[in-house]
């Protein structure tokens, strides 16, 4: 099914998850419009801004992890998800 793009199943799952996340955020925004607030990021952000910043930060954590250590990527994923959640809640 995905041979024409030379994607692996995990890659396809990541992109499908991101697409699902965008749909959920769009529906949530229609139900309850986002409100901007200041958190520890020291800038005014709404939940979609914090999601974007959290996703970029998680990508930086994962890339940095691969650059500096050979430890398990599962540990890196845990750290990246923690960073994204912290930014999403308190950022």
């Amino acid at each position: 099914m995905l041979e024409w793009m030379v994607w692996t199943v995990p890659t396809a799952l990541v992109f499908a998850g991101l697409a699902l996340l965008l749909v959920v955020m769009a529906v949530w925004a229609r139900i309850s419009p986002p409100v901007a607030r200041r958190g520890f990021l020291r800038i005014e952000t709404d939940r979609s801004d914090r999601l974007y910043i959290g996703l970029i930060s998680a990508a930086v954590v994962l890339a940095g992890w691969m650059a500096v250590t050979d430890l398990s990527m599962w540990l890196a994923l845990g750290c990246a998800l923690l960073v994204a959640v912290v930014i999403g809640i308190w950022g």
Side-chain angles (χ1 to χ4, degrees), residues 18-91:
L18 288 173
L20 178 64
L21 186 59
L22 290 174
V23 168
V24 168
M25 289 296 288
V27 170
W28 188 11
R30 291 287 274 171
I31 293 170
S32 171
V35 176
R37 64 173 172 83
R38 284 183 193 263
F40 71 84
L41 294 173
R42 316 264 304 178
I43 57 175
E44 198 168 281
T45 59
D46 64 16
R47 65 178 165 249
S48 59
D49 297 329
R50 290 188 300 275
L51 173 67
Y52 178 74
I53 294 167
L55 288 173
I56 296 299
S57 299
V60 169
V61 167
L62 291 169
W65 189 279
M66 288 187 290
V68 299
T69 186
D70 288 332
L71 294 175
S72 172
M73 284 304 292
W74 289 108
L75 187 56
L77 180 61
C79 292
L81 289 175
L82 180 66
V83 166
V85 168
V86 167
I87 290 173
I89 295 173
W90 294 293

